[in-house]
Amino acid sequence: MSKLHIATSINGEPVEFLADPSASMLDALRGPLGLTGTKEGCGTGDCGACSITVDGRLVCACLMLAVESEGHEIGTIEGMAQGDHLHPLQQKFLEMAALQCGICTPGMLMASRALLEKNPDPTEEEVRFGLAGNLCRCTGYDKIVRAVLETAAEMRGAA
Amino acid sequence: MTDIRYLAPRTLDEAVGAFAAAAGAARILAGGTDLLVQMRNGVAKPGTIIDIKKIAEMTSIEETADGGFRIGAAVPAVALAEHARFGKVWPGVLEAINLIGSKQVQGRASPGGNLCNGSPAGDSVPAMIAAGAVVTVQGPNGRRSMPVEAVPAGPGRTNLQPGEIVVSFTLPPRPAGSGDAYLRMIPRTEMDIAVVGCGVSLTMAGGVVTAARVGLGAVAPTVMLVDTAAKALIGSRLEDAALEAAAAACRAACKPIDDKRGTIVYRTKVAGVLLKRTAAIAAQRAGGN
């Protein structure tokens, strides 16, 4: 079957693209849309490296067909910084070296932001449960969890 | 993945028509958290994918006039968690649905998909059975309803007729003094498949159980309703003897397999343990209503 014309919104910008009916949203983002910030890890919804938001809700881009994005609001890691101004989570991940190889980082940031939007004052346990869908093979998670907790504290102070 | 047609009908009649016309070569797409993985590893090769999320009835949560709930089959877990009232009335069903996968998976995964995937270990199913939920299905021969426990037929199989689509779950109104709970045993703390899953719903008056339902998962080819366990609880004050009788009924109902998550002996023992723990939580919630 021929490709389908899809009109969606990505990081607040209207976007139109052609999608193979069997292509995942991850395929579309990293392929025709050229948004390679979203990473492919497992491709089966286990690792969270491809975390994006759909209408504000965190999902795995690998578990969604590209054609399903029609008419929805997609958010990716490319929309997290405002120009040169990093999101506080991005800044804190850098300062606290909450990454090593970096493959999990975009997904960790997307999931952390989703967590803090719902719960600005999480306990360490809540952060660990909130990020349970994101696998990291390098850091042992501790640096990531500490960076999320510190960012939460700073954002509460700034609010 | 090869040549696949994608359809996103706006009405249920269109979806049923397209599903029937495909004569077995189509798959229904709700959350997609099982289907896309099956397509990726070659287990599923649908000629047509029918996305039901553009059908309002499939994606809405309604409180019915009598105080029950109607949940569309494609409602994502996260929408139930965000609902102002659902988790207060059916905390056990909500906690079961919110144990499915990660936050990312819960952003898509639906109770309809969890039921139709036919896993004996599906977490939402024992809780739905305990809740007395009824599924409405629609197919070429019209609409019919059946209890949730009538749907699973075996691992990966359901009793739906060809062309039938699960439309919604209807949960009954709750009398005063009702509570429900769901517990599962997994080797990890999160993100795993149930070794045993147990859902219990109780109604209590003056400390006495007046109504009970028990659902058990991952201990037989299908998730099942355990009537004998419920009968052991009804009329009791959840004394040790009654709880042990209900636990024994759960153990007797088990027909599990040995696998890497648990042996037959372990799963059978744990079924009884979980019944007691789950009933205790349900009773506490019943007292709080």
Side-chain angles (χ1 to χ4, degrees):
Chain A
M1 189 181 175
S2 57
K3 293 189 174 186
L4 299 172
H5 178 262
I6 303 301
T8 183
S9 157
I10 300 181
N11 300 325
E13 298 282 334
V15 172
E16 296 181 32
F17 66 103
L18 294 174
D20 187 286
S22 65
S24 71
M25 192 66 212
L26 178 61
D27 296 334
L29 286 171
R30 293 185 55 83
L33 294 166
L35 295 169
T36 54
T38 303
K39 301 303 181 205
E40 175 159 18
C42 63
T44 51
D46 295 303
C47 79
C50 66
S51 297
I52 59 170
T53 56
V54 179
D55 300 333
R57 287 172 177 161
L58 194 67
V59 309
C60 290
C62 71
L63 292 182
M64 170 182 179
L65 294 176
V67 290
E68 291 181 81
S69 67
E70 170 77 36
H72 293 286
E73 300 272 337
I74 306 295
T76 74
I77 189 66
E78 283 86 354
M80 201 158 173
Q82 301 300 312
D84 290 338
H85 192 68
L86 293 181
H87 186 278
L89 277 163
Q90 292 174 305
Q91 188 62 44
K92 192 58 69 182
F93 269 52
L94 276 175
E95 286 170 14
M96 297 181 67
L99 68 153
Q100 286 182 36
C101 87
I103 283 280
C104 76
T105 309
M108 286 285 181
L109 288 167
M110 294 298 284
S112 301
R113 184 177 66 176
L115 170 71
L116 296 188
E117 279 171 358
K118 278 196 176 167
N119 182 359
D121 190 9
T123 63
E124 179 184 333
E125 187 177 12
E126 285 167 341
V127 171
R128 288 183 183 275
F129 272 96
L131 297 180
N134 294 76
L135 303 185
C136 169
R137 64 181 191 173
C138 310
T139 66
Y141 302 99
D142 240 41
K143 293 191 288 185
I144 294 169
V145 171
R146 275 185 258 145
V148 174
L149 286 168
E150 284 234 2
T151 310
E154 278 186 16
M155 288 176 75
R156 288 196 305 278
Chain B
M1 297 176 198
T2 51
D3 215 16
I4 291 178
R5 289 180 72 213
Y6 169 84
L7 302 174
R10 296 274 171 180
T11 69
L12 194 51
D13 285 343
E14 282 175 70
V16 167
F19 197 37
R27 288 289 297 266
I28 299 295
L29 175 65
T33 56
D34 291 309
L35 179 60
L36 264 72
V37 175
Q38 290 166 6
M39 285 165 58
R40 186 183 165 93
N41 63 24
V43 173
K45 290 174 184 159
T48 304
I49 290 173
I50 302 170
D51 182 355
I52 55 173
K53 289 191 295 298
K54 289 196 165 37
I55 303 168
E57 192 178 3
M58 293 283 199
T59 55
S60 56
I61 305 168
E62 291 163 23
E63 277 195 80
T64 53
D66 61 4
F69 278 88
R70 199 201 63 81
I71 302 166
V75 166
V78 67
L80 285 166
E82 288 166 0
H83 194 275
R85 292 256 309 143
F86 182 76
K88 292 189 169 70
V89 181
W90 291 105
V93 175
L94 182 61
E95 67 199 351
I97 290 175
N98 280 322
L99 281 172
I100 301 171
S102 60
K103 298 284 178 226
Q104 287 87 334
V105 169
Q106 288 157 22
R108 304 287 284 177
S110 66
N114 202 221
L115 180 63
C116 292
N117 192 47
S119 167
D123 281 305
S124 70
V125 186
M128 284 282 194
I129 288 175
V134 169
V135 290
T136 298
V137 305
Q138 187 160 326
N141 299 321
R143 225 167 227 247
R144 64 183 180 120
S145 295
M146 64 184 118
V148 167
E149 59 268 26
V151 175
R157 293 188 296 116
T158 69
N159 288 314
L160 299 184
Q161 298 297 310
E164 281 185 334
I165 302 173
V166 172
V167 179
S168 62
F169 295 80
T170 305
L171 282 74
R174 308 222 76 186
S178 299
D180 76 325
Y182 175 79
L183 287 178
R184 68 174 182 186
M185 180 65 80
I186 56 173
R188 310 176 64 206
T189 54
E190 182 85 329
M191 296 280 292
D192 205 347
I193 297 168
V195 174
V196 181
C198 181
V200 174
S201 179
L202 298 176
T203 303
M204 302 184 72
V208 175
V209 177
T210 58
R213 284 176 67 90
V214 175
L216 264 189
V219 290
T222 63
V223 182
M224 54 193 175
L225 175 70
V226 189
D227 256 338
T228 45
K231 286 201 180 88
L233 298 175
I234 294 169
S236 80
R237 293 179 170 274
L238 298 176
E239 309 87 346
D240 287 349
L243 285 170
E244 182 45 40
C250 284
R251 290 194 295 267
C254 290
K255 296 180 199 68
I257 55 168
D258 277 323
D259 73 0
K260 62 184 175 185
R261 290 195 173 76
T263 60
I264 291 169
V265 172
Y266 180 71
R267 286 180 193 261
T268 305
K269 184 177 170 67
V270 168
V273 174
L274 279 195
L275 177 280
K276 292 181 189 178
R277 292 183 187 172
T278 314
I281 298 168
Q284 189 183 23
R285 289 173 178 168
N289 281 358

